Structures are given as C-alpha cells and as structure tokens.
Amino acid sequence: MSINKTVQLVLCFTLFFCVTACSDEQTQVVKAGWTKSCPNNEFCFIHPESLKSAEIQIIDSTAGKLEDDNMVVLFDLSIYASQLDDLRQAKTESVTIDDLSGTLFVQDKRIGLAIPEVNGTVRFSMLIIYKEALAEEQGKEILKSITFKQPK
C-alpha cells in the first residue's frame, strides 16, 4: 500500500474516532413512539410522544410537568427538589443513574426517582403518576434513561 493511501486511511480512522468518541453529546436510542426531552439542556430523558407540557409555576429550578391520558410526569432539578419523602410505604430500590446514586420508589400508581446530589447542593426528583394502573416497567424505562449535562 502506498504512503498516500496509508495516510488517508489513518486520517479517516482518526476522524471517525473523534466524531464518535470526542462528542459531548451522549447518544441515546429512542424507540418508535417515544421522544427525547432536554429541559433547559440540563438533563435529558426519553418518554412516550403522547406526553405534552402542562402549566406549572416554577421558581428557581428546572422543573416541569408532562401529561397525557394515562400519566403525569413531574420533575425538579434544584436545591429544593423533593426527595419523595411522602412515599413512606413505597417499595424502594437503590439505583445508579448517569453515575449518580439515587433511589427508585414504587407505591400504588406512582413510581419516582430521587437523587440527593447531582452537583453540589442541587438535587433531582421525578415522579410518574399513572391515572389507571401502574406501568412499572415503562416508568423505570423513563427514569433510567435520565442523563445529566455535567458542568464543565
């Protein structure tokens, strides 16, 4: 093989590596009927496309509410984020989400995630309330898809 072809091959591999490995964005596969949301570009998660933004009052946080006919999703990224203490009777599970320690809560028609420390004093919580029957696997899929944009 000639020197020119070798150099071209090395450049192609280097470019491919940088495009795939050097990117700040994490690749997240979104299945059909689902979409990815990134509130204030501070964290991202996947969820059914049927969930639409609903009005809530937000003070000093990245918070939101998504809703459809089947469920309500509430989230809060702030120093005041709930740690879901009101789910006292919940089945709990320790989890690691995007290299952060948290707790999953499952009680009645609710499934939630609390992360006590995302960055310094900033906490995170997401609560999914099902209007009919709990869809635990779907809820866990949403919660476990969360990724945080880490400060540089």
Side-chain angles (χ1 to χ4, degrees):
M1 186 169 2
S2 74
I3 282 271
N4 279 343
K5 287 193 181 202
T6 303
V7 170
Q8 287 176 344
L9 195 56
V10 168
L11 287 174
C12 284
F13 280 120
T14 303
L15 181 60
F16 175 77
F17 176 78
C18 282
V19 166
T20 58
C22 300
S23 173
D24 273 351
E25 292 298 315
Q26 295 179 352
T27 302
Q28 200 167 25
V29 176
V30 179
K31 65 185 183 179
W34 286 54
T35 191
K36 182 177 182 178
S37 290
C38 299
N40 287 346
N41 203 28
E42 293 188 54
F43 67 97
C44 296
F45 63 101
I46 60 171
H47 59 82
E49 288 177 342
S50 59
L51 288 167
K52 303 298 178 202
S53 291
E55 291 269 332
I56 64 166
Q57 184 175 357
I58 301 170
I59 301 171
D60 293 339
S61 66
T62 297
K65 177 180 179 180
L66 302 175
E67 188 169 9
D68 68 11
D69 292 339
N70 184 45
M71 69 178 122
V72 176
V73 177
L74 303 163
F75 57 84
D76 188 4
L77 177 67
S78 71
I79 61 173
Y80 305 110
S82 169
Q83 293 302 282
L84 306 179
D85 295 331
D86 55 323
L87 298 178
R88 290 181 186 87
Q89 304 301 317
K91 175 178 73 174
T92 62
E93 175 186 342
S94 294
V95 294
T96 301
I97 305 293
D98 199 25
D99 293 328
L100 299 169
S101 297
T103 304
L104 276 177
F105 297 86
V106 180
Q107 181 178 324
D108 303 321
K109 297 178 185 178
R110 299 179 288 174
I111 183 168
L113 170 68
I115 299 177
E117 185 179 330
V118 174
N119 181 22
T121 59
V122 176
R123 308 185 313 184
F124 178 79
S125 64
M126 182 179 281
L127 180 63
I128 303 169
I129 305 165
Y130 286 91
K131 296 177 181 178
E132 299 296 324
L134 173 68
E136 186 171 342
E137 290 309 310
Q138 179 191 52
K140 284 183 177 181
E141 187 172 0
I142 295 168
L143 296 172
K144 290 181 176 182
S145 75
I146 296 167
T147 57
F148 294 93
K149 182 161 178 111
Q150 298 298 325
K152 304 247 181 214

